[in-house]
Amino acid sequence: MTPSSWSWPLVVALVLPLPALAQTQPEDEWTPLPGSAPVAPTPPPAPVSPPLTPPPGVVPPPMSPAPADLRIRLRPREAPNQVSMFGAPALGQWKRGQAFVLGFPFIQLKAAIGVLDDLDVGLSYETFYLMHHEVRGTVKYGFGKGPGWSFALALDGGGAFFNARANREVRGTRWLTGRRNFNFAPGVILSYQGSTLRAARLFLDLRYMLTVDTEPFAMTPLQGVPATFLLGHNALSRAGGEFPLSERTSFLFSFGLDLHFRPDDAPAMVNVAIGLVTGF
């Protein structure tokens, strides 16, 4: 074979691959069908940034748990009970208190309002099971306070109405209670209350009672004409506590002893009472 005869196949073998090498993307020669939208290429994924870390030596503040904050918003903190009708603490200016007391020998209704931060005035109604009725004005002035302790001066006074006349009563309401037509009871109150939210408010109430009898009568004809009025003297003592049930309501329990120094009265009378004290 001559050189000219085998050189032609070699030239053809070298020329044919050139169009394939010039085509870098074979898919570019494909055209979409008529009516079809071109497909956008998928963007590459975004790089993932590393987590932020505080610089060395800096401690992030602790995060408070959300449930605790929610409980604080839904359940406000309760205030201590400061409504006292029988203890030494005053109600406070323009604050009001009421009490209902069931006991022996008296049933009592009491209401008071604070005209100053340390001064309360009020009214009370007492009855010996409807056999006598007594309306009294009340004044309480708190003059001293300490850690848990408080002191007050108190004065009660008013008039009483009895179902039976004095000369027809034999060991009745007057003899039992030591009360007469007008009664005045100044005294002092000492209280103690602990620091816990619902601590009991304990009290000791000591009074001197002056009674004015406008219906004196002679027991025998030899006694002559009775006086216009006759004075009597009693000593009253009460001890007990106001036990808070809520911020404005307390349960009351008290007991005491009344000493009568008038000879035609019972020498002594025990006093026991339970009740409720409220304020607003």
Side-chain angles (χ1 to χ4, degrees):
M1 177 180 297
T2 63
S4 58
S5 61
W6 58 264
S7 60
W8 285 105
L10 181 59
V11 172
V12 173
L14 294 176
V15 173
L16 288 178
L18 292 177
L21 294 176
Q23 184 179 345
T24 57
Q25 295 293 338
E27 292 83 357
D28 294 342
E29 296 183 354
W30 295 90
T31 56
L33 296 176
S36 61
V39 179
T42 304
V48 179
S49 59
L52 297 177
T53 57
V58 178
V59 180
M63 297 293 292
S64 58
D69 297 340
L70 183 60
R71 286 195 300 269
I72 293 175
R73 291 195 299 268
L74 296 181
R75 188 178 180 180
R77 184 179 179 182
E78 297 185 14
N81 184 296
Q82 297 179 343
V83 181
S84 180
M85 294 292 292
F86 296 90
L91 295 172
Q93 190 172 27
W94 310 128
K95 295 182 180 179
R96 291 169 287 180
Q98 306 84 36
F100 170 75
V101 181
L102 176 63
F104 179 84
F106 299 110
I107 298 174
Q108 183 181 26
L109 298 174
K110 191 174 183 179
I113 183 172
V115 294
L116 297 174
D117 287 339
D118 296 322
L119 181 64
D120 297 345
V121 298
L123 289 173
S124 68
Y125 165 75
E126 290 184 355
T127 177
F128 178 42
Y129 294 92
L130 301 181
M131 288 185 286
H132 111 289
H133 309 273
E134 186 172 0
V135 179
R136 309 170 74 179
T138 65
V139 179
K140 181 173 68 174
Y141 172 67
F143 66 92
K145 293 181 180 180
W149 297 92
S150 56
F151 305 87
L153 295 175
L155 172 64
D156 295 351
F161 308 91
F162 298 87
N163 291 353
R165 295 181 60 87
N167 57 1
R168 296 180 178 273
E169 189 177 82
V170 180
R171 294 200 171 185
T173 305
R174 293 175 177 82
W175 176 85
L176 185 65
T177 64
R179 306 287 177 90
R180 291 301 185 270
N181 303 92
F182 297 96
N183 308 282
F184 304 93
V188 61
I189 306 174
L190 169 65
S191 289
Y192 175 78
Q193 186 174 19
S195 58
T196 58
L197 185 63
R198 294 291 177 256
R201 187 181 304 106
L202 307 178
F203 65 85
L204 177 63
D205 189 334
L206 302 176
R207 304 287 184 99
Y208 160 75
M209 175 173 281
L210 173 67
T211 64
V212 181
D213 184 1
T214 59
E215 300 178 77
F217 62 95
M219 300 292 295
T220 64
L222 297 179
Q223 289 180 338
V225 179
T228 305
F229 63 90
L230 188 62
L231 301 180
H233 309 279
N234 301 327
L236 314 179
S237 62
R238 301 285 185 273
E242 295 170 327
F243 303 90
L245 303 176
S246 66
E247 182 180 346
R248 299 183 180 275
T249 304
S250 300
F251 172 77
L252 169 72
F253 173 76
S254 71
F255 63 94
L257 182 65
D258 298 349
L259 301 178
H260 307 150
F261 300 104
R262 185 166 165 165
D264 51 348
D265 287 347
M269 175 54 57
V270 176
N271 187 296
V272 180
I274 60 173
L276 285 178
V277 176
T278 62
F280 58 92

